[in-house]
Amino acid sequence: MSNQLVIRNALPADLDAIISLDRTTPDADKPDYWRGIFEHYVVKGRADRIFLVAEKRGTVIGFIVGEVRAWEFGSPPCGWVFALAVSPDAREHGTGKRMWDEICRRLKKTGVTTVRTMANLDQKLTLSFLRAMGLRTGRYIELEKQLD
Amino acid sequence: MKLNKASLLGLIAVLELADDPEQQLSTTDIAEKYDISTHHLAKVMRNLVHKGVVQAMRGVGGGYRFAGNPNRTTLLDIIQLFETMESELDLPHWSKAADPIISELQSITNEIDDVTKAILETITLSAALKNMHLRSEATKNNGASS
Ligand SMILES: CC(C)(COP(=O)(O)OP(=O)(O)OC[C@H]1O[C@@H](n2cnc3c(N)ncnc32)[C@H](O)[C@@H]1OP(=O)(O)O)[C@@H](O)C(=O)NCCC(=O)NCCS
């Protein structure tokens, strides 16, 4: 068991750890969502679907999930990172950055040159982290409307 | 977005000081380096001290030192010491007939202000300084290779 931080592909056995980690974020509890994501990104893994975990002393302390999406909204293939979390007591030790760098490295290997993500305006912590990773406002604007 | 002069001077002073939290600089040092008015800057520095962002050091070699955490202080924190960042519709008075237009314009400027604030609120001084250094490096390297 390594004391070093290891960034590795998620395994089916990591599902419960991911569900627990997700409970530490401001988002709603959603175990069924994670079961579905695991089915697609871990069990039937593909090179362009990436689910990584950060592990220290045998414990999963973080995860990041992304994939290549092509021609959504007319955009040429690009990387999307759509979930990211580090356990609250393990934050600010560089784990988020290590996972971010690794997923970007893997995305780049598939041939894409851009990575995108989205975060709620209220999630200042996530936004500060993403800014620190060098992300800027992109060329696509998210618009929305309440359906009456 | 148009930053007022005090915010701009505040950002210059704070970024300069936060770039090396050990350094102590006087108003004149900063004003000379950036070719800005000492008089305006002195007022801004007093405000920054009052708000606890910088510390005035006494004694020989006095001057100011950055007193915050560059990883937690955001650009918006500094700007909001000097202005509110709310767009204003510069119409001193209007008749009732303009109300629907003003309401619509206000809802649009609110939308713009929310995004502007969200950007400024998530760029820490450290992140801004890092980008500045990367940009200067890139400019230097481009200059060297051309
Ligand atoms: C965002 C998050 C992943 C960052 O993970 P982390 O391991 O703490 O990040 P790192 O230690 O690698 O930090 C990298 C950089 O991000 C920035 N950063 C991290 N935490 C920050 C904070 N609290 N305030 C400001 N900037 C911060 C810093 O610039 C830092 O660089 P530095 O260490 O050189 O200062 C973590 O805070 C988190 O899980 N937040 C909740 C995420 C969430 O809600 N997810 C649900 C949606 S999927």
Side-chain angles (χ1 to χ4, degrees):
Chain A
M1 205 180 295
S2 170
N3 278 339
Q4 298 286 318
L5 180 69
V6 177
I7 312 292
R8 59 161 174 83
N9 285 327
L11 301 169
D14 295 322
L15 176 63
D16 289 342
I18 300 302
I19 293 173
S20 311
L21 266 178
D22 183 52
R23 287 199 176 117
T24 68
T25 71
D27 295 353
D29 194 14
K30 43 187 163 354
D32 291 343
Y33 166 78
W34 286 115
R35 266 177 221 116
I37 291 285
F38 256 64
E39 199 48 41
H40 269 81
Y41 292 77
V42 180
V43 181
K44 299 186 198 131
R46 292 192 340 204
D48 59 353
R49 292 180 185 160
I50 307 163
F51 198 136
L52 302 176
V53 298
E55 186 181 61
K56 204 167 188 178
R57 291 191 202 94
T59 306
V60 172
I61 59 167
F63 67 85
I64 192 163
V65 199
E67 67 187 338
V68 175
R69 293 185 194 164
W71 309 114
E72 258 185 348
F73 314 107
S75 160
C78 76
W80 270 93
V81 170
F82 61 88
L84 157 78
V86 170
S87 165
D89 48 12
R91 287 181 191 167
E92 293 185 55
H93 287 95
T95 307
K97 179 173 171 17
R98 283 275 308 274
M99 295 194 302
W100 180 265
D101 289 347
E102 179 59 17
I103 204 165
C104 287
R105 197 182 66 78
R106 304 249 195 133
L107 287 166
K108 203 167 165 197
K109 253 178 40 190
T110 71
V112 299
T113 53
T114 309
V115 60
R116 297 202 171 104
T117 187
M118 218 156 41
N120 190 307
L121 278 186
D122 297 330
Q123 286 189 11
K124 309 287 180 221
L125 180 56
T126 309
L127 286 167
S128 299
F129 168 81
L130 294 168
R131 288 264 164 204
M133 296 302 105
L135 281 87
R136 310 290 289 246
T137 310
R139 301 293 305 160
Y140 290 78
I141 294 183
E142 184 252 352
L143 299 162
E144 63 186 34
K145 175 181 189 280
Q146 296 301 315
L147 296 173
D148 23 53
Chain B
M1 179 188 75
K2 184 170 185 294
L3 289 181
N4 73 28
K5 199 164 174 179
S7 310
L8 207 53
L9 295 184
L11 285 170
I12 289 175
V14 167
L15 285 167
E16 169 64 37
L17 292 170
D19 201 15
D20 176 5
E22 295 299 309
Q23 75 175 333
Q24 291 178 27
L25 295 174
S26 68
T27 305
T28 319
D29 294 334
I30 303 173
E32 274 175 5
K33 175 162 180 185
Y34 294 98
D35 197 14
I36 51 187
S37 143
T38 317
H39 174 72
H40 280 132
L41 185 62
K43 244 170 92 177
V44 164
M45 295 313 290
R46 279 198 293 277
N47 195 3
L48 291 173
V49 171
H50 180 67
K51 297 287 168 30
V53 178
V54 303
Q55 204 181 351
M57 311 302 290
R58 292 183 201 290
V60 191
Y64 297 101
R65 214 161 70 172
F66 181 67
N69 176 350
N71 260 324
R72 289 290 176 279
T73 314
T74 69
L75 300 186
L76 188 69
D77 291 335
I78 305 301
I79 294 168
Q80 281 187 329
L81 301 177
F82 303 97
E83 58 186 305
T84 61
M85 291 301 295
E86 312 270 311
S87 297
E88 275 170 32
L89 298 173
D90 206 359
L91 206 61
H93 32 80
W94 59 82
S95 80
K96 261 216 148 324
D99 279 354
I101 297 174
I102 298 291
S103 302
E104 175 57 9
L105 293 179
Q106 242 149 16
S107 86
I108 295 168
T109 54
N110 287 347
E111 197 176 322
I112 297 170
D113 290 349
D114 280 351
V115 175
T116 306
K117 278 196 206 158
I119 292 175
L120 293 169
E121 196 175 10
T122 52
I123 305 181
T124 59
L125 298 180
S126 299
L129 286 164
K130 192 169 149 205
N131 284 337
M132 281 164 45
H133 295 314
L134 286 173
R135 196 171 294 117
S136 331
E137 274 301 304
T139 317
K140 235 195 282 166
N141 292 342
N142 282 344
S145 63
S146 63

